Amino acid sequence: IFLNNPTKILNIIKNKFKGLIAIRSSNNFEDAKSSLAGKFKSFLNIDSSNDQEVYNSILSVINSYKKYKSKKNEVFTQEMVSTKYAGVVTTCDISNNLPYICINYSKNNSTDVTEGKKNTIFISNFFNSKEIIKPLIFNKLIITVKKILKYYKGKNLDIEFVVNRKNQIKIIQVRILSDDISKKILSREMLSRVLKKTEKKIIKIQKKHFDLLGKTTYFGVMPDWNPAEIIGIKPKPLA
């Protein structure tokens, strides 16, 4: 539509938005069989009244699709929001399809997450968990995500969000994840049983034992590791 009548679209944008806007990719192949994070161009802080700047930005996004052409491809134009947090929520762990809500986020106006960079924090929260997570606003985000899930009838989703300076949650984009984006290892019911069994086991072995010193048991990764194994056969003087 844009290529056929750019003037009409530019006028709609100019009348709809006052101030700075974001022009972002929405390619049909994104988060299908792979995330393609950072594959397509997006532009921030574009002056909505500058027709040439808006035109060039939209055209650049379209041109970035190249091999990923589809009639379903779109370009998003959105009002710029000053953010406290920004990120992506997936309603399953895309590495194994287990039913965890996974939040990847960055602070302030960074685009690290959507560009596929690694300097983000990963939070997972099992659906039935009552654990309080931090930042506290993310507890409200999970409630919002569950409402969206009901609308999409439980399909696995990729949800882009921002939290503004007033601690308001803004949902930027929702995509349905492909069914084959990851191989399902366990059903939710099976995972729940495994976690319950593990919880009972841990509680049991944390209790005071007649043959062990102390009131409880602590767990660690190789706490009894031989120091000789750590420093090696030929340790340096400071080791």
Side-chain angles (χ1 to χ4, degrees):
I1 297 174
F2 174 78
L3 295 176
N4 292 334
N5 195 345
T7 303
K8 179 182 178 181
I9 302 301
L10 292 173
N11 286 333
I12 291 173
I13 292 172
K14 194 186 302 183
N15 293 328
K16 176 74 175 178
F17 301 101
K18 305 298 179 184
L20 298 179
I21 59 174
I23 297 173
R24 306 172 57 245
S25 66
S26 180
N27 190 285
N28 187 52
F29 292 91
E30 287 183 272
D31 301 304
K33 292 187 178 181
S34 58
S35 72
L36 297 179
K39 183 73 177 179
F40 309 111
K41 288 187 177 180
S42 290
F43 297 89
L44 306 178
N45 297 307
I46 302 298
D47 184 356
S48 61
S49 64
N50 188 327
D51 285 351
Q52 191 62 53
E53 188 178 17
V54 174
Y55 175 84
N56 290 340
S57 299
I58 294 176
L59 195 62
S60 293
V61 173
I62 293 171
N63 289 337
S64 72
Y65 293 161
K66 293 179 181 177
K67 297 179 181 179
Y68 299 91
K69 293 181 179 180
S70 169
K71 291 182 179 180
K72 294 182 180 180
N73 287 347
E74 297 177 337
V75 176
F76 277 173
T77 305
Q78 299 169 315
E79 180 184 359
M80 281 296 299
V81 180
S82 180
T83 64
K84 188 174 180 181
Y85 303 104
V88 177
V89 180
T90 55
T91 57
C92 69
D93 184 338
I94 60 174
S95 64
N96 51 37
N97 223 356
L98 292 177
Y100 288 86
I101 294 178
C102 303
I103 306 174
N104 286 279
Y105 74 95
S106 53
K107 293 183 179 180
N108 302 319
N109 290 313
S110 170
T111 57
D112 293 341
V113 175
T114 52
E115 290 178 2
K117 296 181 181 177
K118 300 299 183 182
N119 55 338
T120 58
I121 299 173
F122 177 83
I123 301 170
S124 63
N125 187 52
F126 192 60
F127 282 89
N128 297 324
S129 173
K130 295 181 180 179
E131 179 186 0
I132 302 299
I133 62 172
K134 294 183 179 181
L136 292 176
I137 188 63
F138 284 174
N139 295 281
K140 290 184 178 180
L141 175 63
I142 289 175
I143 293 172
T144 302
V145 167
K146 289 180 178 180
K147 288 180 181 178
I148 296 172
L149 270 173
K150 286 183 180 179
Y151 179 82
Y152 281 92
K153 298 180 180 178
K155 289 182 180 290
N156 285 332
L157 303 174
D158 175 294
I159 303 169
E160 291 185 22
F161 73 93
V162 296
V163 178
N164 66 18
R165 298 294 176 183
K166 295 180 181 179
N167 263 0
Q168 296 172 322
I169 297 169
K170 305 287 185 180
I171 301 300
I172 304 301
Q173 185 170 327
V174 179
R175 299 192 195 99
I176 297 174
L177 288 170
S178 171
D179 291 336
D180 58 356
I181 195 168
S182 54
K183 186 177 180 181
K184 196 165 188 176
I185 298 175
L186 295 173
S187 67
R188 183 179 300 189
E189 293 74 21
M190 177 63 76
L191 178 61
S192 182
R193 288 199 294 270
V194 170
L195 291 176
K196 285 290 184 184
K197 186 176 180 180
T198 305
E199 180 184 23
K200 288 180 180 179
K201 180 71 174 178
I202 291 173
I203 291 172
K204 181 179 179 180
I205 58 181
Q206 276 186 314
K207 292 180 179 179
K208 186 175 180 179
H209 191 276
F210 72 92
D211 204 26
L212 294 175
L213 182 65
K215 296 181 179 180
T216 187
T217 302
Y218 290 91
F219 305 96
V221 179
M222 295 295 288
D224 58 343
W225 203 357
N226 188 330
E229 293 180 66
I230 299 173
I231 62 176
I233 298 173
K234 298 180 180 179
K236 293 181 179 181
L238 288 178

